[in-house]
Amino acid sequence: METSNLTERRKAATEREIAAAAAGLFAEVGVAGVTAEQIAARAGVSVRTFYRYFARKEDAIAPILRVGARRWQEAFAEVGEQSLRAQIPAVIRSQLSGGEGQELEMMRGVLRGLDDDTAMRDVWLRVNDDSERQLREILQQRGLGAWHARLLAAVATDAIRVGFEQWAADTAGPRPAERAVDAFQAMSRGLDGLD
């Protein structure tokens, strides 16, 4: 049992190291200019090890994106009992405002490649879809009906997605938290009274 836990921790650590290497290279060079071989070299693993964890170079960014999605879901699960919809902007701000400058800039570099790289966009949208499904379950556990949970989860998740994408495209504009809050408020106007 303990050996299994150690093996799982080592696998998770290797996956994180590869993901960090990929994110760094994608931000520095752009997705198109990076190869799986370069990612493996930066992570200190063999190319064979890289492909044991990821089918293609773009998939290597998914673990980093999932960490952010998981933090968002955990924060949302802690929200008080009053109106869930009304509390989402505060959750967005708390999750996106405190990001490390270097981490945010790396994310900006990664997201700038979305329009030019279909495979990277596929990974980004898949992680967002998974996050939306998890958020829907959290909302249903909080007593929201299936339909309202689906709507609110979609709007909240897309607000963060759109906010990040717009922030990455516009270096002079507001930070991701403000972009996401603005997107949520614009998209959720018709959802008053859902919860």
Side-chain angles (χ1 to χ4, degrees), residues 96-192:
L96 300 184
S97 294
E100 301 287 325
Q102 184 179 5
E103 183 180 308
L104 278 178
E105 286 309 311
M106 185 172 14
M107 180 61 78
R108 176 178 266 160
V110 169
L111 293 178
R112 282 189 180 145
L114 292 179
D115 288 337
D116 301 328
D117 191 302
T118 305
M120 180 62 83
R121 185 146 190 89
D122 175 57
V123 172
W124 172 243
L125 293 175
R126 183 172 15 108
V127 169
N128 276 274
D129 183 62
D130 291 345
S131 181
E132 180 184 322
R133 290 170 189 271
Q134 292 294 319
L135 184 54
R136 187 184 324 148
E137 287 180 27
I138 291 168
L139 290 168
Q140 286 181 286
Q141 290 168 1
R142 300 292 301 275
L144 229 53
W147 173 243
H148 291 147
R150 180 177 218 117
L151 287 174
L152 192 55
V155 170
T157 303
D158 277 349
I160 290 180
R161 181 185 60 78
V162 169
F164 260 117
E165 289 174 6
Q166 186 60 37
W167 166 76
D170 180 8
T171 59
R175 304 288 286 166
E178 293 312 309
R179 292 275 191 188
V181 167
D182 289 348
F184 178 77
Q185 290 171 337
M187 290 189 284
S188 68
R189 283 195 181 103
L191 300 181
D192 288 332

